[in-house]
């Protein structure tokens, strides 16, 4: 395997990759010497499939976080281009005269139906990540998102949001331009929209940066995605003054799709191809598209008032507390 490919390997994938390289070496030697080793190769391939299933069925929260952050994990634009019949990206918040590339959006057709799609966009390499601010949107990005959602509401188009950010940009300039206000405004306004809203965590859903486009009728997550109030590294630095304790924080934060489904926050877990969404992006996109169409069909049967009321009640029910007697 080339050095560049090995850099993209996750720690827990190494035994599997070593086995796959061994299979390749045996196959190459057999072809050179014209020896039939098909039985041995078949057994090794069966062992590789079994090992892959064992690894990805038993990931810890910290390991799921690694998968969610994988540099080759499909992004918002990857899913949009795979699922839509046509797509036109729209730019700008119409307020500051700038366009935030960390949050993209526009109009597309999903099986012929006009929809508005928007989401966080990370880069594929260092240069692209810098240009897109590592998927951390500024106030202009959230205001652009709200402009597109108002457009969708005016013309009766469903809204599809894709969440993949470590959090909103926390720089001084973002604070000066009203980062907190921009996100809070989105939270309030998304509750009043008449059209169906489907939110999907496709990778990393972090803090208010995720919530800024995360108020919807349905919340879906890919099975190796994460959704958290703060990154495990930040949590560990705050609680223990040691970012190295992030695996412990990831466990305590209950960040996985399975945890959130159990807590009643998540509506649907989307299965990923074996090895993660980056192992087969087209299959992941097909799974997401099918889930979106199924949920849209259910939401279409409701009136605007019913959707708004259910959306409100959905978020009112989140959170559990226990009263302690004196």
């Amino acid at each position: 395997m080339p050095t560049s490919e090995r850099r993209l390997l996750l720690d827990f994938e190494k035994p599997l990759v070593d086995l796959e390289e061994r299979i390749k070496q045996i196959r190459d030697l057999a072809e050179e010497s014209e020896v039939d080793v098909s039985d041995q190769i078949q057994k090794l391939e069966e062992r590789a499939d079994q090992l892959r299933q064992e690894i990805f069925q038993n990931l810890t929260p910290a390991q799921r976080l690694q998968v969610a952050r994988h540099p080759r994990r499909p992004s918002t634009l990857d899913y949009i281009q795979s699922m839509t019949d046509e797509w036109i990206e729209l730019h700008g918040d119409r307020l500051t005269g700038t366009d935030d590339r960390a949050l993209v959006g526009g109009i597309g057709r999903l099986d012929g139906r006009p929809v508005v799609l928007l989401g966080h966009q990370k880069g594929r390499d260092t240069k692209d990540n810098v240009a897109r601010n590592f998927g951390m949107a500024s106030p202009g990005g959230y205001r652009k998102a709200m402009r597109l959602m108002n457009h969708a509401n005016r013309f009766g188009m469903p809204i599809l949001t894709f969440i993949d950010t470590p959090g909103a940009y926390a720089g001084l300039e973002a604070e000066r331009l009203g980062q907190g206000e921009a996100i809070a405004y989105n939270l309030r306004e998304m509750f009043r929209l008449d059209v169906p809203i489907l939110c999907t965590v496709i990778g990393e859903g972090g803090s208010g940066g995720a919530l800024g486009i995360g108020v919807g009728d349905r919340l879906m997550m890919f099975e190796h995605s994460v959704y958290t109030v703060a990154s495990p590294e930040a949590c560990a630095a705050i609680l223990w003054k040691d970012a190295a304790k992030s695996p412990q924080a990831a466990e305590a934060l209950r960040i996985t799709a399975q945890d959130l489904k159990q807590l009643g926050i998540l509506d649907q877990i989307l299965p990923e191809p074996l090895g993660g969404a980056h192992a087969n992006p087209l299959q992941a996109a097909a799974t997401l598209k099918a889930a979106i169409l199924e949920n849209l069909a259910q939401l279409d049967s409701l009136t605007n008032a019913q959707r708004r009321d259910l959306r409100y009640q959905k978020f009112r029910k989140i959170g559990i507390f226990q009263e302690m007697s004196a």
Side-chain angles (χ1 to χ4, degrees):
M1 177 178 289
T3 304
S4 59
E5 291 287 322
R6 276 205 167 269
R7 287 199 198 101
L8 297 177
L9 277 180
L10 304 177
D11 296 339
F12 54 85
E13 290 182 302
K14 191 176 183 304
L16 175 61
V17 173
D18 290 342
L19 180 56
E20 289 175 339
E21 287 184 349
R22 182 182 167 195
I23 293 170
K24 184 179 182 301
Q25 289 172 356
I26 292 173
R27 184 179 282 112
D28 291 343
L29 287 171
E31 288 177 358
E32 289 177 6
S33 56
E34 298 182 354
V35 177
D36 183 13
V37 291
S38 55
D39 290 342
Q40 293 91 324
I41 289 176
Q42 183 180 353
K43 288 178 181 178
L44 288 172
E45 287 177 339
E46 289 173 357
R47 172 57 187 150
D49 290 339
Q50 181 184 359
L51 182 60
R52 186 178 290 106
Q53 288 180 354
E54 289 173 359
I55 289 173
F56 281 90
Q57 286 175 358
N58 297 284
L59 295 178
T60 66
Q63 289 171 335
R64 288 188 191 277
L65 181 61
Q66 286 182 274
V67 178
R69 291 173 173 172
H70 197 285
R72 289 195 174 170
R73 192 169 179 84
S75 67
T76 292
L77 288 176
D78 292 329
Y79 283 119
I80 288 174
Q81 290 163 0
S82 295
M83 295 190 304
T84 57
D85 308 322
E86 55 182 312
W87 152 254
I88 301 172
E89 185 175 354
L90 301 176
H91 302 273
D93 63 358
R94 301 299 187 269
L95 291 171
T96 62
T98 60
D99 182 50
D100 185 1
R101 297 185 65 197
L103 205 156
V104 299
I107 301 172
R109 289 186 184 274
L110 191 71
D111 274 10
R113 180 176 184 175
V115 293
V116 164
L117 310 99
L118 55 98
H120 304 100
Q121 181 65 33
K122 295 179 178 178
R124 280 284 176 237
D125 52 35
T126 302
K127 183 179 179 180
D128 195 19
N129 259 320
V130 169
R132 296 195 181 273
N133 202 29
F134 297 84
M136 297 184 293
S138 67
Y142 291 103
R143 290 174 181 135
K144 173 172 67 173
M146 197 66 242
R147 179 176 73 83
L148 295 178
M149 288 189 277
N150 281 327
H151 181 85
N153 196 57
R154 176 179 294 179
F155 293 100
M157 294 183 283
I159 298 167
L160 312 178
T161 77
F162 306 98
I163 298 167
D164 186 18
T165 180
Y169 182 51
L172 289 175
E173 183 67 7
E175 292 301 311
R176 188 181 70 81
L177 294 172
Q179 184 71 286
E181 184 274 339
I183 293 173
Y185 183 82
N186 282 21
L187 295 179
R188 185 189 72 185
E189 293 298 296
M190 290 181 79
F191 279 107
R192 70 162 177 82
L193 299 177
D194 293 326
V195 295
I197 306 174
L198 297 179
C199 307
T200 308
V201 183
I202 60 173
E204 182 181 10
S207 192
L211 284 174
I213 58 169
V215 175
D217 304 299
R218 297 282 193 277
L219 174 62
M220 302 182 290
M221 283 179 68
F222 276 104
E223 65 174 308
H224 298 315
S225 295
V226 298
Y227 202 23
T228 174
V229 68
S231 71
E233 294 87 352
C235 180
I238 293 167
L239 293 181
W240 298 293
K241 304 293 188 289
D242 184 3
K245 290 189 176 180
S246 61
Q248 184 178 341
E251 193 80 37
L253 283 168
R254 306 290 294 274
I255 64 177
T256 68
Q258 294 73 17
D259 287 331
L260 295 170
K261 187 75 167 69
Q262 189 178 33
L263 291 170
I265 296 171
L266 180 63
D267 295 301
Q268 185 176 353
I269 299 176
L270 305 179
E272 296 191 24
L274 192 58
H278 59 279
N280 193 334
L282 292 179
Q283 184 181 333
T287 299
L288 178 55
K289 183 177 180 178
I292 288 172
L293 292 173
E294 179 184 355
N295 279 281
L296 278 180
Q298 295 171 6
L299 294 170
D300 284 340
S301 65
L302 304 175
T303 65
N304 294 345
Q306 286 174 328
R307 275 196 298 267
R308 288 196 307 270
D309 183 59
L310 288 173
R311 192 182 306 154
Y312 176 78
Q313 295 301 329
K314 169 183 170 61
F315 282 84
R316 288 291 293 173
K317 288 188 292 186
I318 291 177
I320 299 172
F321 67 92
Q322 183 175 5
E323 292 185 355
M324 305 294 290
S325 63

